[in-house]
Amino acid sequence: MEKERLSYLQIHPKDNVLVALRDLPQGFEVTVNGQTFLLREGVRAKHKFTIYPLDKDADVIMYGVLVGKMNYAVTEGILISTENLRHASDNFKLGARKLGWEKPDVSGFRDRMFNGFHRSNGSVGTANYWLVIPLVFCENRNVLTLKEALEEKLGYQVASKDYSNEVDELIARYQAGASVDELLSLDLSSTKDNRERIRLFPNVDGVKFLNHEMGCGGTRMDSDALCGLLAGYITHPNVAGATVLSLGCQHAQATILQEEIKKRDAAFDKPLFVFEQQSEGTEQELMQKAIKATFAGLTQANQQTRQPAPLDKLCIGLECGGSDGFSGISANPALGYVSDMLVTMGGSVILAEFPELCGVEQEMSDRCIDEATAEKFMHLMKTYNAKAEADGSGFYMNPSPGNIRDGLITDAIKSAGAAKKGGNSPVTAVVDYPGVVTKPGLNLLCTPGNDVESTTAEVAAGANIVLFTTGLGTPTGNPIAPVVKLSTNTRTFEKMPDIIDLNCGTVIDGEETIAETAHRILEYVIQVASGEQQPKAVQLGQDDFIPWRRGVSL
C-alpha cells in the first residue's frame, strides 16, 4: 500500500515553524495542533513558515531547539527568511549525563560479514591502496611525475569518461569550416572512450597520489598536524604501504612523520619507503629509486586478499555537504539510524564538522560518556568559535548561499539537522584534529564544516567508509576511502545520477520510513566494504584531499 505524502511537517512538538514538503501556494490551508490557518504567502518546498504570531526578538524553535530570533513581529503562515530571522542558539554548560537511548533492532545484521583486507594490527580495510605522498609542496611535481609514469602502465588510470574524443571531434569540425553556432550546437553524446584498462596487480585497488600545499612556510603547528594527518593515511586499514618524498629542509620532517606513525601503530609493519631529494642528488636518481621501491611494494600489496570480517570492524565517517532543507528530515536521520545500528553491533562512527554542531552543544555534551569527555567537547567548540570570531567570522556564518536558498537560513537550523547523522547513542570519545579513533561507538572529531577538509580528516581518523548526504549535489570523494553519496530528495538523485549513489528522498515522498531507508543503506555499505559495489566517487576517481590549516575554516 502506497504511503500518503504529506504537504508539511512539524519535526518536534515544541517547534513553532513547519517545513514545507512541497511547494505550497499562498492561501493554502494548514491544520496543526488543533488550529487552522491560511498561508499569507507562497512557500517553496524545504522552506519554513510560522505556526503562530511571533513578536520581535521572539525565539524560533525547530528540532526542539532554538535556531534563531525574529527581526520583527510576524503573524502565522509567514515564510521564514534571512530578512525576518537572525541566527541565535542557546548557551551550553556542563550538565547531567543523558546516556539512555533505545537501541535499534539489528537482528537481521547481527551475523553479517563483509570481505575486507585484514591488517596485522587487527584493523580491516574496505580497500587496498598504495600511497605516494609528498612531505612538502616542493615535491608535488615529482609526485605528479610518478603518477604519469605509473598510473596508466599499471592499469589504474581513471575509468571515467575521457573527453579528449569530444575535443578531437570539435577540432575536425573547426578544420572543416564549422561556424561558432555549428560548434555550439554539435551533439557530442555519441563519442566514446575505447581505452582498455587491465590492472597488473588485481588485488591492489590503486596507487593514490596525495598532493598538497603544506609542509613548510607556515607554522610549525601546521606542519606537525600535516605529519599527523599523513600518518593517519599511512596507518589506515585501507592502505597497504606508502612511498614518501621529502625535500629535506622543510618543517615537516620525515622523523616527525615516523613519530606520528608510531603513535598510531606502535608495531607498524607496512612497507614504507622514504626518499629525500637533497640526499639523493639528481631528480633522476630520486625518481628511479622511488619507482623501483613503489613497484616492489605493489608486488607485496598484491599478495593480500579479501577475507570475511564482522561488521564491528567498520568505522563509518558521517558527512554532509550541499545540504538543503530536507537534509535534517530524510538523509541525515537515516544516517543516524545507521549509526545507531553500527554502534549497537560494536562498530565505530565519526561525527565531525564542529561548526555544524552549533546550537546542539548542550545535547551533544550531555550525551558524552563522562564529564571529562563533555568538557573536552565544550572546550573545543568554544575555542574554535572564539578563534573564528577573532578573525571576523563565527559559526553563525557557516551556511552557504546554496544552503540559505534551500531553507537553511541560520547556522543553528543547519546544525540541528546535521547533528541527526549522529543518531542517539552516547558519545564515547571526543577526538581533536588530526587524531585517530580508538574506541567503538559514536566519536566526535573536531574538523571544519568544509566538506573536503572534514572528509580528509575523518579518513585520517580511521573511517574506512564515508557516508555523505547532499541535497544540492556534490562530487566529493576521497583517495583511499569509498565515499557513498546519499541524496536528501528524489529530484537531485534523478538529476545527478552520475555522482549520487542512493536516494533518501523516498522518506519525503512517503515511500519509505527512516528505518527502512537505513536498512537499505547498510546493505549497500556491506557491498561497498566487500568490493562488490563501487560508489560513483570511486568510479570517477574523485580523489579530494585537503589538509586543514588549523585556523579559520568553517
Side-chain angles (χ1 to χ4, degrees), residues 284-316:
Q284 182 176 357
E285 291 176 9
L286 172 75
M287 299 303 288
Q288 288 181 345
K289 287 184 178 181
I291 289 173
K292 286 189 292 184
T294 301
F295 194 92
L298 285 167
T299 65
Q300 292 177 266
N302 193 53
Q303 296 172 14
Q304 302 173 28
T305 59
R306 291 183 180 272
Q307 301 295 330
L311 297 187
D312 63 13
K313 292 297 184 179
L314 290 176
C315 180
I316 303 295

PDB file of all heavy atoms in Angstrom, residues 284-316:
ATOM      1  N   GLN A 284      66.719  12.422 -11.326  1.00  0.00           N
ATOM      2  CA  GLN A 284      66.669  11.101 -11.957  1.00  0.00           C
ATOM      3  C   GLN A 284      66.957   9.998 -10.945  1.00  0.00           C
ATOM      4  O   GLN A 284      66.267   8.968 -10.921  1.00  0.00           O
ATOM      5  CB  GLN A 284      67.678  11.022 -13.115  1.00  0.00           C
ATOM      6  CG  GLN A 284      67.629   9.689 -13.847  1.00  0.00           C
ATOM      7  CD  GLN A 284      68.565   9.647 -15.047  1.00  0.00           C
ATOM      8  OE1 GLN A 284      69.211  10.647 -15.370  1.00  0.00           O
ATOM      9  NE2 GLN A 284      68.639   8.513 -15.699  1.00  0.00           N
ATOM     10  N   GLU A 285      67.951  10.214 -10.071  1.00  0.00           N
ATOM     11  CA  GLU A 285      68.272   9.214  -9.067  1.00  0.00           C
ATOM     12  C   GLU A 285      67.098   9.046  -8.092  1.00  0.00           C
ATOM     13  O   GLU A 285      66.739   7.930  -7.716  1.00  0.00           O
ATOM     14  CB  GLU A 285      69.536   9.615  -8.313  1.00  0.00           C
ATOM     15  CG  GLU A 285      70.801   9.551  -9.159  1.00  0.00           C
ATOM     16  CD  GLU A 285      72.018  10.053  -8.407  1.00  0.00           C
ATOM     17  OE1 GLU A 285      71.896  10.282  -7.182  1.00  0.00           O
ATOM     18  OE2 GLU A 285      73.067  10.221  -9.022  1.00  0.00           O
ATOM     19  N   LEU A 286      66.528  10.172  -7.680  1.00  0.00           N
ATOM     20  CA  LEU A 286      65.372  10.121  -6.778  1.00  0.00           C
ATOM     21  C   LEU A 286      64.224   9.351  -7.408  1.00  0.00           C
ATOM     22  O   LEU A 286      63.645   8.453  -6.781  1.00  0.00           O
ATOM     23  CB  LEU A 286      64.927  11.544  -6.443  1.00  0.00           C
ATOM     24  CG  LEU A 286      63.615  11.676  -5.662  1.00  0.00           C
ATOM     25  CD1 LEU A 286      63.828  11.302  -4.197  1.00  0.00           C
ATOM     26  CD2 LEU A 286      63.049  13.090  -5.766  1.00  0.00           C
ATOM     27  N   MET A 287      63.880   9.697  -8.645  1.00  0.00           N
ATOM     28  CA  MET A 287      62.716   9.111  -9.285  1.00  0.00           C
ATOM     29  C   MET A 287      62.908   7.627  -9.577  1.00  0.00           C
ATOM     30  O   MET A 287      61.990   6.820  -9.405  1.00  0.00           O
ATOM     31  CB  MET A 287      62.382   9.867 -10.569  1.00  0.00           C
ATOM     32  CG  MET A 287      62.042  11.340 -10.351  1.00  0.00           C
ATOM     33  SD  MET A 287      60.665  11.571  -9.202  1.00  0.00           S
ATOM     34  CE  MET A 287      59.325  11.025 -10.230  1.00  0.00           C
ATOM     35  N   GLN A 288      64.087   7.252  -9.992  1.00  0.00           N
ATOM     36  CA  GLN A 288      64.323   5.837 -10.288  1.00  0.00           C
ATOM     37  C   GLN A 288      64.218   4.974  -9.031  1.00  0.00           C
ATOM     38  O   GLN A 288      63.644   3.882  -9.056  1.00  0.00           O
ATOM     39  CB  GLN A 288      65.691   5.656 -10.954  1.00  0.00           C
ATOM     40  CG  GLN A 288      65.729   6.164 -12.397  1.00  0.00           C
ATOM     41  CD  GLN A 288      67.073   5.949 -13.056  1.00  0.00           C
ATOM     42  OE1 GLN A 288      68.077   5.667 -12.394  1.00  0.00           O
ATOM     43  NE2 GLN A 288      67.111   6.098 -14.371  1.00  0.00           N
ATOM     44  N   LYS A 289      64.752   5.484  -7.910  1.00  0.00           N
ATOM     45  CA  LYS A 289      64.637   4.747  -6.652  1.00  0.00           C
ATOM     46  C   LYS A 289      63.182   4.667  -6.198  1.00  0.00           C
ATOM     47  O   LYS A 289      62.727   3.614  -5.728  1.00  0.00           O
ATOM     48  CB  LYS A 289      65.492   5.417  -5.581  1.00  0.00           C
ATOM     49  CG  LYS A 289      66.986   5.212  -5.755  1.00  0.00           C
ATOM     50  CD  LYS A 289      67.758   5.820  -4.595  1.00  0.00           C
ATOM     51  CE  LYS A 289      69.256   5.566  -4.748  1.00  0.00           C
ATOM     52  NZ  LYS A 289      70.024   6.144  -3.610  1.00  0.00           N
ATOM     53  N   ALA A 290      62.453   5.771  -6.334  1.00  0.00           N
ATOM     54  CA  ALA A 290      61.055   5.797  -5.906  1.00  0.00           C
ATOM     55  C   ALA A 290      60.204   4.854  -6.751  1.00  0.00           C
ATOM     56  O   ALA A 290      59.325   4.158  -6.225  1.00  0.00           O
ATOM     57  CB  ALA A 290      60.504   7.220  -5.992  1.00  0.00           C
ATOM     58  N   ILE A 291      60.460   4.815  -8.050  1.00  0.00           N
ATOM     59  CA  ILE A 291      59.701   3.935  -8.946  1.00  0.00           C
ATOM     60  C   ILE A 291      59.981   2.461  -8.595  1.00  0.00           C
ATOM     61  O   ILE A 291      59.064   1.640  -8.508  1.00  0.00           O
ATOM     62  CB  ILE A 291      60.038   4.226 -10.418  1.00  0.00           C
ATOM     63  CG1 ILE A 291      59.440   5.575 -10.834  1.00  0.00           C
ATOM     64  CG2 ILE A 291      59.517   3.113 -11.323  1.00  0.00           C
ATOM     65  CD1 ILE A 291      59.865   6.030 -12.207  1.00  0.00           C
ATOM     66  N   LYS A 292      61.248   2.124  -8.393  1.00  0.00           N
ATOM     67  CA  LYS A 292      61.592   0.735  -8.067  1.00  0.00           C
ATOM     68  C   LYS A 292      60.953   0.307  -6.744  1.00  0.00           C
ATOM     69  O   LYS A 292      60.398  -0.781  -6.633  1.00  0.00           O
ATOM     70  CB  LYS A 292      63.115   0.572  -7.994  1.00  0.00           C
ATOM     71  CG  LYS A 292      63.805   0.588  -9.348  1.00  0.00           C
ATOM     72  CD  LYS A 292      65.273   0.210  -9.241  1.00  0.00           C
ATOM     73  CE  LYS A 292      66.071   1.272  -8.502  1.00  0.00           C
ATOM     74  NZ  LYS A 292      67.528   0.943  -8.481  1.00  0.00           N
ATOM     75  N   ALA A 293      61.055   1.186  -5.745  1.00  0.00           N
ATOM     76  CA  ALA A 293      60.503   0.843  -4.431  1.00  0.00           C
ATOM     77  C   ALA A 293      58.985   0.697  -4.495  1.00  0.00           C
ATOM     78  O   ALA A 293      58.414  -0.235  -3.917  1.00  0.00           O
ATOM     79  CB  ALA A 293      60.894   1.913  -3.417  1.00  0.00           C
ATOM     80  N   THR A 294      58.323   1.626  -5.193  1.00  0.00           N
ATOM     81  CA  THR A 294      56.864   1.572  -5.301  1.00  0.00           C
ATOM     82  C   THR A 294      56.429   0.296  -6.007  1.00  0.00           C
ATOM     83  O   THR A 294      55.484  -0.378  -5.569  1.00  0.00           O
ATOM     84  CB  THR A 294      56.337   2.809  -6.048  1.00  0.00           C
ATOM     85  OG1 THR A 294      56.744   3.988  -5.333  1.00  0.00           O
ATOM     86  CG2 THR A 294      54.821   2.777  -6.156  1.00  0.00           C
ATOM     87  N   PHE A 295      57.109  -0.051  -7.085  1.00  0.00           N
ATOM     88  CA  PHE A 295      56.756  -1.266  -7.826  1.00  0.00           C
ATOM     89  C   PHE A 295      56.950  -2.500  -6.953  1.00  0.00           C
ATOM     90  O   PHE A 295      56.083  -3.390  -6.908  1.00  0.00           O
ATOM     91  CB  PHE A 295      57.602  -1.371  -9.097  1.00  0.00           C
ATOM     92  CG  PHE A 295      57.080  -2.383 -10.076  1.00  0.00           C
ATOM     93  CD1 PHE A 295      56.192  -2.016 -11.078  1.00  0.00           C
ATOM     94  CD2 PHE A 295      57.464  -3.716  -9.998  1.00  0.00           C
ATOM     95  CE1 PHE A 295      55.700  -2.956 -11.979  1.00  0.00           C
ATOM     96  CE2 PHE A 295      56.978  -4.666 -10.886  1.00  0.00           C
ATOM     97  CZ  PHE A 295      56.091  -4.278 -11.879  1.00  0.00           C
ATOM     98  N   ALA A 296      58.068  -2.543  -6.227  1.00  0.00           N
ATOM     99  CA  ALA A 296      58.316  -3.687  -5.347  1.00  0.00           C
ATOM    100  C   ALA A 296      57.257  -3.752  -4.249  1.00  0.00           C
ATOM    101  O   ALA A 296      56.777  -4.843  -3.898  1.00  0.00           O
ATOM    102  CB  ALA A 296      59.712  -3.566  -4.729  1.00  0.00           C
ATOM    103  N   GLY A 297      56.878  -2.593  -3.707  1.00  0.00           N
ATOM    104  CA  GLY A 297      55.850  -2.566  -2.680  1.00  0.00           C
ATOM    105  C   GLY A 297      54.510  -3.059  -3.193  1.00  0.00           C
ATOM    106  O   GLY A 297      53.769  -3.741  -2.476  1.00  0.00           O
ATOM    107  N   LEU A 298      54.199  -2.718  -4.431  1.00  0.00           N
ATOM    108  CA  LEU A 298      52.943  -3.161  -5.029  1.00  0.00           C
ATOM    109  C   LEU A 298      52.897  -4.677  -5.179  1.00  0.00           C
ATOM    110  O   LEU A 298      51.830  -5.293  -5.051  1.00  0.00           O
ATOM    111  CB  LEU A 298      52.744  -2.480  -6.383  1.00  0.00           C
ATOM    112  CG  LEU A 298      52.335  -1.004  -6.316  1.00  0.00           C
ATOM    113  CD1 LEU A 298      52.472  -0.335  -7.691  1.00  0.00           C
ATOM    114  CD2 LEU A 298      50.907  -0.868  -5.814  1.00  0.00           C
ATOM    115  N   THR A 299      54.037  -5.295  -5.443  1.00  0.00           N
ATOM    116  CA  THR A 299      54.052  -6.762  -5.535  1.00  0.00           C
ATOM    117  C   THR A 299      53.721  -7.381  -4.183  1.00  0.00           C
ATOM    118  O   THR A 299      53.064  -8.430  -4.107  1.00  0.00           O
ATOM    119  CB  THR A 299      55.415  -7.280  -6.028  1.00  0.00           C
ATOM    120  OG1 THR A 299      56.428  -6.980  -5.052  1.00  0.00           O
ATOM    121  CG2 THR A 299      55.792  -6.647  -7.355  1.00  0.00           C
ATOM    122  N   GLN A 300      54.152  -6.728  -3.092  1.00  0.00           N
ATOM    123  CA  GLN A 300      53.805  -7.205  -1.752  1.00  0.00           C
ATOM    124  C   GLN A 300      52.318  -6.985  -1.470  1.00  0.00           C
ATOM    125  O   GLN A 300      51.635  -7.875  -0.950  1.00  0.00           O
ATOM    126  CB  GLN A 300      54.636  -6.469  -0.698  1.00  0.00           C
ATOM    127  CG  GLN A 300      56.118  -6.785  -0.714  1.00  0.00           C
ATOM    128  CD  GLN A 300      56.859  -5.956   0.314  1.00  0.00           C
ATOM    129  OE1 GLN A 300      57.386  -4.886   0.022  1.00  0.00           O
ATOM    130  NE2 GLN A 300      56.886  -6.438   1.541  1.00  0.00           N
ATOM    131  N   ALA A 301      51.840  -5.802  -1.788  1.00  0.00           N
ATOM    132  CA  ALA A 301      50.432  -5.478  -1.534  1.00  0.00           C
ATOM    133  C   ALA A 301      49.504  -6.401  -2.301  1.00  0.00           C
ATOM    134  O   ALA A 301      48.405  -6.741  -1.822  1.00  0.00           O
ATOM    135  CB  ALA A 301      50.164  -4.028  -1.918  1.00  0.00           C
ATOM    136  N   ASN A 302      49.917  -6.830  -3.466  1.00  0.00           N
ATOM    137  CA  ASN A 302      49.075  -7.683  -4.307  1.00  0.00           C
ATOM    138  C   ASN A 302      48.898  -9.088  -3.729  1.00  0.00           C
ATOM    139  O   ASN A 302      48.011  -9.826  -4.153  1.00  0.00           O
ATOM    140  CB  ASN A 302      49.679  -7.764  -5.713  1.00  0.00           C
ATOM    141  CG  ASN A 302      48.720  -8.362  -6.710  1.00  0.00           C
ATOM    142  OD1 ASN A 302      47.577  -7.912  -6.854  1.00  0.00           O
ATOM    143  ND2 ASN A 302      49.163  -9.397  -7.417  1.00  0.00           N
ATOM    144  N   GLN A 303      49.721  -9.454  -2.751  1.00  0.00           N
ATOM    145  CA  GLN A 303      49.606 -10.774  -2.131  1.00  0.00           C
ATOM    146  C   GLN A 303      48.447 -10.827  -1.131  1.00  0.00           C
ATOM    147  O   GLN A 303      48.045 -11.909  -0.698  1.00  0.00           O
ATOM    148  CB  GLN A 303      50.916 -11.128  -1.422  1.00  0.00           C
ATOM    149  CG  GLN A 303      52.099 -11.267  -2.367  1.00  0.00           C
ATOM    150  CD  GLN A 303      53.420 -11.422  -1.625  1.00  0.00           C
ATOM    151  OE1 GLN A 303      53.440 -11.672  -0.423  1.00  0.00           O
ATOM    152  NE2 GLN A 303      54.521 -11.250  -2.337  1.00  0.00           N
ATOM    153  N   GLN A 304      47.905  -9.669  -0.772  1.00  0.00           N
ATOM    154  CA  GLN A 304      46.808  -9.623   0.191  1.00  0.00           C
ATOM    155  C   GLN A 304      45.473  -9.807  -0.530  1.00  0.00           C
ATOM    156  O   GLN A 304      45.274  -9.271  -1.625  1.00  0.00           O
ATOM    157  CB  GLN A 304      46.840  -8.294   0.942  1.00  0.00           C
ATOM    158  CG  GLN A 304      48.153  -8.066   1.677  1.00  0.00           C
ATOM    159  CD  GLN A 304      48.260  -6.693   2.287  1.00  0.00           C
ATOM    160  OE1 GLN A 304      47.247  -6.098   2.629  1.00  0.00           O
ATOM    161  NE2 GLN A 304      49.469  -6.186   2.433  1.00  0.00           N
ATOM    162  N   THR A 305      44.582 -10.527   0.101  1.00  0.00           N
ATOM    163  CA  THR A 305      43.263 -10.787  -0.492  1.00  0.00           C
ATOM    164  C   THR A 305      42.171 -10.495   0.534  1.00  0.00           C
ATOM    165  O   THR A 305      42.423 -10.443   1.741  1.00  0.00           O
ATOM    166  CB  THR A 305      43.149 -12.254  -0.951  1.00  0.00           C
ATOM    167  OG1 THR A 305      43.357 -13.122   0.172  1.00  0.00           O
ATOM    168  CG2 THR A 305      44.165 -12.559  -2.050  1.00  0.00           C
ATOM    169  N   ARG A 306      40.970 -10.321   0.044  1.00  0.00           N
ATOM    170  CA  ARG A 306      39.822 -10.068   0.925  1.00  0.00           C
ATOM    171  C   ARG A 306      39.431 -11.339   1.685  1.00  0.00           C
ATOM    172  O   ARG A 306      39.375 -12.418   1.101  1.00  0.00           O
ATOM    173  CB  ARG A 306      38.629  -9.570   0.112  1.00  0.00           C
ATOM    174  CG  ARG A 306      38.816  -8.170  -0.471  1.00  0.00           C
ATOM    175  CD  ARG A 306      37.563  -7.711  -1.203  1.00  0.00           C
ATOM    176  NE  ARG A 306      37.709  -6.377  -1.777  1.00  0.00           N
ATOM    177  CZ  ARG A 306      37.434  -5.245  -1.142  1.00  0.00           C
ATOM    178  NH1 ARG A 306      36.960  -5.300   0.100  1.00  0.00           N
ATOM    179  NH2 ARG A 306      37.597  -4.084  -1.728  1.00  0.00           N
ATOM    180  N   GLN A 307      39.137 -11.138   2.981  1.00  0.00           N
ATOM    181  CA  GLN A 307      38.701 -12.232   3.840  1.00  0.00           C
ATOM    182  C   GLN A 307      37.518 -11.746   4.686  1.00  0.00           C
ATOM    183  O   GLN A 307      37.376 -10.555   4.938  1.00  0.00           O
ATOM    184  CB  GLN A 307      39.848 -12.683   4.761  1.00  0.00           C
ATOM    185  CG  GLN A 307      41.097 -13.165   4.034  1.00  0.00           C
ATOM    186  CD  GLN A 307      40.879 -14.416   3.214  1.00  0.00           C
ATOM    187  OE1 GLN A 307      40.035 -15.245   3.569  1.00  0.00           O
ATOM    188  NE2 GLN A 307      41.627 -14.569   2.124  1.00  0.00           N
ATOM    189  N   PRO A 308      36.645 -12.658   5.142  1.00  0.00           N
ATOM    190  CA  PRO A 308      35.468 -12.247   5.915  1.00  0.00           C
ATOM    191  C   PRO A 308      35.843 -11.526   7.209  1.00  0.00           C
ATOM    192  O   PRO A 308      36.832 -11.854   7.864  1.00  0.00           O
ATOM    193  CB  PRO A 308      34.759 -13.575   6.212  1.00  0.00           C
ATOM    194  CG  PRO A 308      35.240 -14.511   5.150  1.00  0.00           C
ATOM    195  CD  PRO A 308      36.654 -14.113   4.877  1.00  0.00           C
ATOM    196  N   ALA A 309      35.025 -10.534   7.565  1.00  0.00           N
ATOM    197  CA  ALA A 309      35.213  -9.772   8.799  1.00  0.00           C
ATOM    198  C   ALA A 309      33.851  -9.367   9.344  1.00  0.00           C
ATOM    199  O   ALA A 309      32.922  -9.102   8.564  1.00  0.00           O
ATOM    200  CB  ALA A 309      36.073  -8.541   8.533  1.00  0.00           C
ATOM    201  N   PRO A 310      33.687  -9.297  10.664  1.00  0.00           N
ATOM    202  CA  PRO A 310      32.404  -8.864  11.237  1.00  0.00           C
ATOM    203  C   PRO A 310      32.194  -7.365  11.025  1.00  0.00           C
ATOM    204  O   PRO A 310      33.139  -6.613  10.804  1.00  0.00           O
ATOM    205  CB  PRO A 310      32.559  -9.197  12.722  1.00  0.00           C
ATOM    206  CG  PRO A 310      34.043  -9.151  12.965  1.00  0.00           C
ATOM    207  CD  PRO A 310      34.682  -9.646  11.700  1.00  0.00           C
ATOM    208  N   LEU A 311      30.933  -6.932  11.125  1.00  0.00           N
ATOM    209  CA  LEU A 311      30.603  -5.532  10.861  1.00  0.00           C
ATOM    210  C   LEU A 311      31.171  -4.585  11.912  1.00  0.00           C
ATOM    211  O   LEU A 311      31.249  -3.373  11.669  1.00  0.00           O
ATOM    212  CB  LEU A 311      29.084  -5.356  10.764  1.00  0.00           C
ATOM    213  CG  LEU A 311      28.386  -6.108   9.626  1.00  0.00           C
ATOM    214  CD1 LEU A 311      26.917  -5.708   9.548  1.00  0.00           C
ATOM    215  CD2 LEU A 311      29.075  -5.865   8.287  1.00  0.00           C
ATOM    216  N   ASP A 312      31.587  -5.102  13.078  1.00  0.00           N
ATOM    217  CA  ASP A 312      32.163  -4.203  14.077  1.00  0.00           C
ATOM    218  C   ASP A 312      33.555  -3.716  13.670  1.00  0.00           C
ATOM    219  O   ASP A 312      34.140  -2.858  14.349  1.00  0.00           O
ATOM    220  CB  ASP A 312      32.190  -4.847  15.470  1.00  0.00           C
ATOM    221  CG  ASP A 312      33.056  -6.087  15.561  1.00  0.00           C
ATOM    222  OD1 ASP A 312      33.840  -6.355  14.642  1.00  0.00           O
ATOM    223  OD2 ASP A 312      32.948  -6.805  16.579  1.00  0.00           O
ATOM    224  N   LYS A 313      34.084  -4.227  12.561  1.00  0.00           N
ATOM    225  CA  LYS A 313      35.348  -3.724  12.025  1.00  0.00           C
ATOM    226  C   LYS A 313      35.142  -2.522  11.108  1.00  0.00           C
ATOM    227  O   LYS A 313      36.118  -1.963  10.592  1.00  0.00           O
ATOM    228  CB  LYS A 313      36.072  -4.841  11.263  1.00  0.00           C
ATOM    229  CG  LYS A 313      36.573  -5.982  12.152  1.00  0.00           C
ATOM    230  CD  LYS A 313      37.607  -5.504  13.152  1.00  0.00           C
ATOM    231  CE  LYS A 313      38.184  -6.642  13.969  1.00  0.00           C
ATOM    232  NZ  LYS A 313      39.212  -6.179  14.942  1.00  0.00           N
ATOM    233  N   LEU A 314      33.894  -2.142  10.906  1.00  0.00           N
ATOM    234  CA  LEU A 314      33.615  -0.946  10.105  1.00  0.00           C
ATOM    235  C   LEU A 314      33.744   0.295  10.980  1.00  0.00           C
ATOM    236  O   LEU A 314      33.319   0.318  12.132  1.00  0.00           O
ATOM    237  CB  LEU A 314      32.203  -1.006   9.519  1.00  0.00           C
ATOM    238  CG  LEU A 314      31.957  -2.031   8.414  1.00  0.00           C
ATOM    239  CD1 LEU A 314      30.489  -2.023   8.009  1.00  0.00           C
ATOM    240  CD2 LEU A 314      32.842  -1.745   7.208  1.00  0.00           C
ATOM    241  N   CYS A 315      34.336   1.324  10.404  1.00  0.00           N
ATOM    242  CA  CYS A 315      34.382   2.647  11.021  1.00  0.00           C
ATOM    243  C   CYS A 315      33.823   3.613   9.990  1.00  0.00           C
ATOM    244  O   CYS A 315      34.450   3.855   8.960  1.00  0.00           O
ATOM    245  CB  CYS A 315      35.800   3.034  11.413  1.00  0.00           C
ATOM    246  SG  CYS A 315      35.938   4.674  12.173  1.00  0.00           S
ATOM    247  N   ILE A 316      32.628   4.134  10.247  1.00  0.00           N
ATOM    248  CA  ILE A 316      31.903   4.938   9.268  1.00  0.00           C
ATOM    249  C   ILE A 316      32.070   6.422   9.571  1.00  0.00           C
ATOM    250  O   ILE A 316      31.785   6.878  10.678  1.00  0.00           O
ATOM    251  CB  ILE A 316      30.399   4.592   9.262  1.00  0.00           C
ATOM    252  CG1 ILE A 316      30.192   3.105   8.985  1.00  0.00           C
ATOM    253  CG2 ILE A 316      29.660   5.440   8.232  1.00  0.00           C
ATOM    254  CD1 ILE A 316      30.625   2.655   7.614  1.00  0.00           C
TER     255      ILE A 316
END
